[in-house]
Amino acid sequence: MEIFSYMQEYDYEQLLLCQDEQSGLKAIIAVHDTTLGPALGGTRMWTYASEDDAVEDALRLAKGMTYKNAAAGLNLGGGKTVIIGDPKKDKNEEMFRAFGRYIQGLNGRYITAEDVGTTVQDMDLIHEETDYVTGISPAFGSSGNPSPVTAYGVYRGMKAAAKEGFGSDSLEGKTVAVQGVGNVAFTLCRHLHEEGANLVVTDINKEAVQRAVEEFGAKAVETDEIYSVDCDIYAPCALGATINDETIPQLKAKVIAGAANNQLKETKHGDILHEKGIVYTPDYVINAGGVINVADELHGYNKDRAMKRVETIYDNVSRVFEISRRDNIPTYLAADRMAEERIERMRRSRSQFLQNGHHILSRRQNG
């Protein structure tokens, strides 16, 4: 790929290649935008087919974090790291310590966290070399498992989506079809059950499904049946790209609100949902509870403060719907616009501040 052309097209700030022969570290740190503050984004470890694929993934994910952090109202920009390697067999202490030194060298410009293929223990090793890491062990002042916080944010966002779709944010009596019953989704199911929602669940893990049936009175269906369930809300909480050409015609839900990343297979599917009048809740807005939670660690973690901030996901989702109506655009575009407008406001504010400072300095020099 033509790296500088790609970076220029999407306005990236920095791409850093890191290697350490002793440990086998091959890492790529991408910083997309720091207008709102230091770039925050996790470290992913994956067996990429090529180095170009790894670079492209880092760049794509970093841009996504810019939008996610901006939409969440955080004073943080977007960045991401990918480490090339098999997370099951290529890890060692030296690798993450070396990576931590590279992060320290950026002097706070980039802050990392756990992601696909990395663990809390890996973050602890990075923490041996730098303070610019979140999602470390609670013993070091971290928030611990982020799943319950992410689930609560999705629950709050779903209530906002219900208000948009049904005129009331009450989920009592609503039927919610939950695809995937992992750690986040199971806690989400508990919130929904406590409010009196009816649950239909599916997962390739039959034990997780059975647990939801026993604890929440959920109805279980096969994995390929979840799309056509007669329900009010479809909650994709497993793999991405489940909203596609094959599934959209099956959907009976008025509202889509779930925890999964990259729910739309292609942007055209967001257009189709808009045309059909289905209320789609953009994933990176509704599932931001985790990043809001780890961001609080930067100030010395306070659970009450973090949870209060997570509750604002309700307002953020509502704002997306307002922009969608205002500009007559699909909600996935409205979410991007909300993030871009916030970044642009800060960019203009800083530019004005610098201009004013320049004028004051000029007057003093000429005075």
Side-chain angles (χ1 to χ4, degrees):
M1 66 182 296
E2 296 182 1
I3 293 176
F4 276 109
S5 296
Y6 190 100
M7 291 179 70
Q8 186 173 5
E9 181 179 358
Y10 298 106
D11 200 20
Y12 285 83
E13 295 180 7
Q14 188 173 14
L15 187 70
L16 182 66
L17 306 181
C18 316
Q19 81 85 29
D20 179 71
E21 186 176 3
Q22 171 93 13
S23 64
L25 173 71
K26 290 185 176 67
I28 300 153
I29 301 174
V31 174
H32 177 248
D33 189 289
T34 57
T35 303
L36 296 175
L40 172 67
T43 293
R44 176 170 295 194
M45 189 169 184
W46 198 252
T47 51
Y48 291 94
S50 70
E51 292 178 359
D52 275 358
D53 286 351
V55 170
E56 186 172 358
D57 202 31
L59 289 167
R60 178 181 62 83
L61 293 166
K63 183 183 177 189
M65 288 307 301
T66 293
Y67 282 76
K68 186 167 192 167
N69 293 337
L74 299 173
N75 295 317
L76 293 164
K80 205 78 171 186
T81 294
V82 301
I83 296 176
I84 300 173
D86 186 338
K88 294 181 180 177
K89 63 181 183 181
D90 293 335
K91 290 182 180 180
N92 57 67
E93 178 183 358
E94 294 82 4
M95 172 182 289
F96 288 99
R97 294 283 294 268
F99 177 54
R101 291 192 290 273
Y102 278 110
I103 293 176
Q104 181 65 20
L106 290 171
N107 199 32
R109 181 174 175 78
Y110 168 68
I111 303 160
T112 197
E114 184 181 344
D115 203 289
V116 175
T118 60
T119 66
V120 171
Q121 289 70 35
D122 300 330
M123 298 305 109
D124 286 347
L125 291 174
I126 294 170
H127 183 56
E128 292 289 335
E129 303 289 343
T130 183
D131 288 331
Y132 302 120
V133 55
T134 60
I136 52 180
S137 295
F140 295 118
S142 169
S143 55
N145 179 12
S147 296
V149 185
T150 302
Y152 182 65
V154 174
Y155 167 67
R156 291 288 299 166
M158 187 181 290
K159 288 178 71 65
K163 185 172 184 180
E164 180 70 14
F166 308 112
S168 167
D169 67 5
S170 174
L171 299 173
E172 184 177 2
K174 293 287 186 291
T175 298
V176 184
V178 182
Q179 181 188 44
V181 201
N183 292 332
V184 172
F186 191 83
T187 305
L188 171 64
C189 286
R190 174 172 284 112
H191 289 301
L192 297 173
H193 175 66
E194 289 173 353
E195 191 170 334
N198 305 309
L199 297 171
V200 181
V201 300
T202 195
D203 197 299
I204 57 173
N205 183 340
K206 300 305 178 186
E207 292 181 4
V209 170
Q210 187 58 34
R211 188 175 165 215
V213 169
E214 292 173 358
E215 293 200 25
F216 310 129
K219 175 185 175 183
V221 299
E222 294 300 318
T223 54
D224 58 351
E225 295 175 0
I226 196 71
Y227 307 107
S228 58
V229 165
D230 190 5
C231 64
D232 301 294
I233 300 170
Y234 165 54
C237 297
L239 300 175
T242 63
I243 301 170
N244 53 54
D245 289 338
E246 291 73 37
T247 61
I248 290 176
Q250 301 179 56
L251 294 175
K252 296 183 175 66
K254 170 72 174 175
V255 169
I256 297 175
N261 288 311
N262 306 313
Q263 295 171 18
L264 302 176
K265 185 172 184 180
E266 300 175 52
T267 56
K268 71 172 185 179
H269 297 116
D271 299 328
I272 294 170
L273 294 178
H274 182 66
E275 291 165 5
K276 284 178 166 287
I278 297 174
V279 176
Y280 168 64
T281 315
D283 42 45
Y284 71 77
V285 181
I286 194 173
N287 68 14
V291 72
I292 292 172
N293 192 54
V294 297
D296 193 81
E297 295 177 21
L298 302 173
H299 310 288
Y301 185 67
N302 180 292
K303 184 177 180 180
D304 291 340
R305 181 179 61 203
M307 294 303 288
K308 188 171 182 180
R309 190 66 180 267
V310 170
E311 288 185 356
T312 65
I313 288 176
Y314 184 106
D315 302 317
N316 298 338
V317 168
S318 299
R319 177 62 178 154
V320 168
F321 298 140
E322 289 174 11
I323 294 172
S324 176
R325 289 193 302 271
R326 180 193 75 189
D327 299 346
N328 192 28
I329 56 175
T331 52
Y332 78 91
L333 286 177
D336 288 355
R337 191 161 294 179
M338 179 174 75
E340 289 162 357
E341 287 177 355
R342 181 165 181 252
I343 293 168
E344 186 56 33
R345 285 196 302 271
M346 180 57 68
R347 187 173 284 127
R348 287 199 305 267
S349 174
R350 286 186 174 179
S351 177
Q352 187 64 45
F353 177 80
L354 290 173
Q355 287 178 12
N356 290 342
H358 175 72
H359 293 326
I360 292 170
L361 182 60
S362 296
R363 284 201 299 270
R364 285 178 177 172
Q365 289 174 339
N366 296 330

